[in-house]
Amino acid sequence: MQRLIIWLPAVAILVVALAAASCSMTPAPSCNLTAPSASTAGFGCAAKWIDANVAINQVQSFGTHNSYKEQIPDVEMALIQERLPAVAPTLDYWHRSFAEQLDKGARQIELDPSDDPEGGLYSTPLARKILTERGVTPPSYDISVMAKPGIKVIHVADIDYRSHCLLFVDCLKQVKAWSDAHPDHTPILMMINPKSSGISWTGAVKVLPWVKASFDRMDAEIRTVFSEDQLITPDDVRGAHATLREAVLAGGWPKLGQARGKIIFTMDLSPEANAPYAEGHPSLKGRVAFMTTFPDAPEAAYFTMNDPEPQFAEIQALVKQGFLIRTRADADTKEARAGTTARRDAAIASGAQFISTDYLWPDPRFGTGYKASLPNGEVTRCNPLNAPRGCDAGAE
């Protein structure tokens, strides 16, 4: 009897060792990245293994493009069609609330901020003025918050100004509320695309340029909503490395378990337009957001690469080096109208960690059924290009 008591623990140790070997040497049959407590059958890899061994640049998620955007009313769309016939179709999309998008599985949200330090710059959209002058009553829309000082969130000043949150801080608060209610979510990329230009119509507002002081205000507004422990910042990734780029190439991105419930901010501008954001902040020291820059720059960690078909090889090369990439599954309503999926499929296969779409849900007007998500509807999955062995590329 004594030998049996000794033997049973030995078997248990052997089973644990075999299970550990299974996780480290073979792909898991199904590892749910959205539920930390979930595990798979047999000796499959549990999600807690993924949390401990898979970095955030080794997973893949979908998100939305211009996530704040509301529908342009027909009477205003007709005005845009009249004056900008080629542009009108590209603006003819909109999104449900942030909470609905995030519930659906979006893990990337895009905001387009316009600087307005004094307030009131965008309080009287030109489209509304023109319609009123024609004797047409513009559809009801409360823009009173536009009078307040602070950054605004508008797609195109004067003509495409309807937003789920006209104030930048209100957008942030909506995302934070969802995040706080779902503390185990995989990280959310908040992509910021600052606007520095408007339309050329007579009487249109002169949109302010983004300069260092504008970016300083943006960071300050973000920090009024999110605490340091809710963010993944360049300082977190750089650690003791000399530059942010060096840290990324050395595998400096946090593991998924460290990143659950957190937000990553990125700047979606050209390297030249982003330069003031890095001014005085070497390797983005002290900054909230990562930014697109040149691949060999000290600040290099993240890139916006919107065209996954012509940029396919470049995206894959950067992903393999360790950089974080956001690309697009569709653009300007073209894929949704035609029902084509080549761009979406290229985006998924590219290994880009975040893929944005305007169609988490199909637009019934087009009759094509086009929508975009990960295969099998996963929320976040192991990246098919660079996930470590033991992480199933088809897992949710």
Side-chain angles (χ1 to χ4, degrees):
M1 186 66 175
Q2 186 175 0
R3 289 184 62 188
L4 180 60
I5 293 173
I6 295 172
W7 179 77
L8 282 173
V11 171
I13 292 169
L14 178 60
V15 169
V16 170
L18 288 172
S22 175
C23 277
S24 62
M25 298 175 62
T26 62
S30 178
C31 299
N32 188 332
L33 292 146
T34 64
S37 62
S39 61
T40 57
F43 295 140
C45 176
K48 62 183 180 181
W49 183 92
I50 291 182
D51 276 5
N53 292 278
V54 180
I56 62 174
N57 67 312
Q58 296 174 318
V59 297
Q60 189 175 54
S61 305
F62 257 78
T64 52
H65 162 252
N66 294 340
S67 316
Y68 58 89
K69 189 175 172 337
E70 291 188 345
Q71 183 177 11
I72 301 173
D74 290 344
V75 66
E76 294 180 10
M77 182 59 77
L79 175 62
I80 299 169
Q81 178 67 40
E82 172 192 321
R83 295 200 172 192
L84 299 169
V87 172
T90 72
L91 303 179
D92 194 16
Y93 66 93
W94 58 91
H95 291 288
R96 303 185 191 186
S97 70
F98 291 146
E100 289 175 278
Q101 295 174 50
L102 293 163
D103 284 343
K104 183 70 171 176
R107 292 297 179 267
Q108 176 258 308
I109 297 292
E110 180 180 353
L111 302 179
D112 291 355
S114 294
D115 196 21
D116 188 16
E118 302 300 323
L121 188 60
Y122 306 100
S123 292
T124 53
L126 184 58
R128 299 180 70 83
K129 291 182 185 178
I130 293 172
L131 290 174
T132 300
E133 290 169 357
R134 292 180 177 183
V136 178
T137 302
S140 177
Y141 184 63
D142 183 7
I143 56 176
S144 60
V145 296
M146 291 287 212
K148 297 181 178 181
I151 298 169
K152 309 303 188 297
V153 176
I154 309 165
H155 186 220
V156 183
D158 286 309
I159 60 172
D160 191 6
Y161 55 88
R162 294 169 185 266
S163 171
H164 291 309
C165 41
L166 291 170
L167 297 180
F168 183 62
V169 290
D170 286 347
C171 294
L172 301 179
K173 288 175 182 177
Q174 290 181 27
V175 174
K176 183 181 186 301
W178 187 92
S179 177
D180 288 348
H182 303 80
D184 290 329
H185 67 75
T186 49
I188 297 170
L189 184 83
M190 294 285 288
M191 194 180 77
I192 308 300
N193 179 212
K195 296 294 186 179
S196 296
S197 62
I199 58 175
S200 59
W201 302 0
T202 300
V205 67
K206 301 301 181 184
V207 178
L208 298 177
W210 279 77
V211 296
K212 185 177 185 298
S214 314
F215 291 126
D216 290 346
R217 286 192 292 273
M218 182 196 75
D219 272 13
E221 290 197 12
I222 292 171
R223 291 188 189 279
T224 67
V225 177
F226 293 101
S227 63
E228 287 297 320
D229 63 358
Q230 293 175 303
L231 300 171
I232 297 172
T233 67
D235 288 344
D236 295 326
V237 173
R238 189 180 56 258
H241 291 275
T243 68
L244 186 56
R245 183 178 187 274
E246 179 184 304
V248 167
L249 295 178
W253 293 107
K255 297 295 190 282
L256 189 62
Q258 300 170 299
R260 286 191 179 274
K262 295 192 178 185
I263 312 295
I264 312 164
F265 281 87
T266 62
M267 298 289 297
D268 175 28
L269 290 173
S270 69
E272 295 83 0
N274 272 331
Y277 188 71
E279 184 182 337
H281 298 269
S283 281
L284 300 177
K285 183 177 181 179
R287 282 301 197 187
V288 171
F290 299 86
M291 70 180 206
T292 290
T293 185
F294 300 103
D296 59 350
E299 297 81 19
Y302 161 86
F303 298 94
T304 296
M305 305 184 72
N306 287 327
D307 300 311
E309 291 179 282
Q311 295 180 304
F312 187 86
E314 188 179 358
I315 291 173
Q316 287 208 323
L318 289 168
V319 169
K320 288 176 180 178
Q321 290 178 68
F323 295 105
L324 208 62
I325 309 293
R326 176 268 194 179
T327 193
R328 293 181 65 178
D330 41 72
D332 300 332
T333 75
K334 293 177 181 178
E335 287 75 17
R337 293 176 189 273
T340 56
T341 62
R343 179 175 182 152
R344 180 195 70 191
D345 297 343
I348 294 171
S350 73
Q353 292 90 349
F354 294 94
I355 305 166
S356 69
T357 179
D358 289 320
Y359 301 98
L360 288 180
W361 295 270
D363 189 326
R365 299 175 303 164
F366 302 148
T368 64
Y370 176 85
K371 63 178 180 178
S373 63
L374 290 174
N376 304 313
E378 298 101 339
V379 172
T380 299
R381 70 169 185 169
C382 299
N383 195 302
L385 191 67
N386 69 345
R389 189 174 178 129
C391 192
D392 179 10
E396 180 176 318

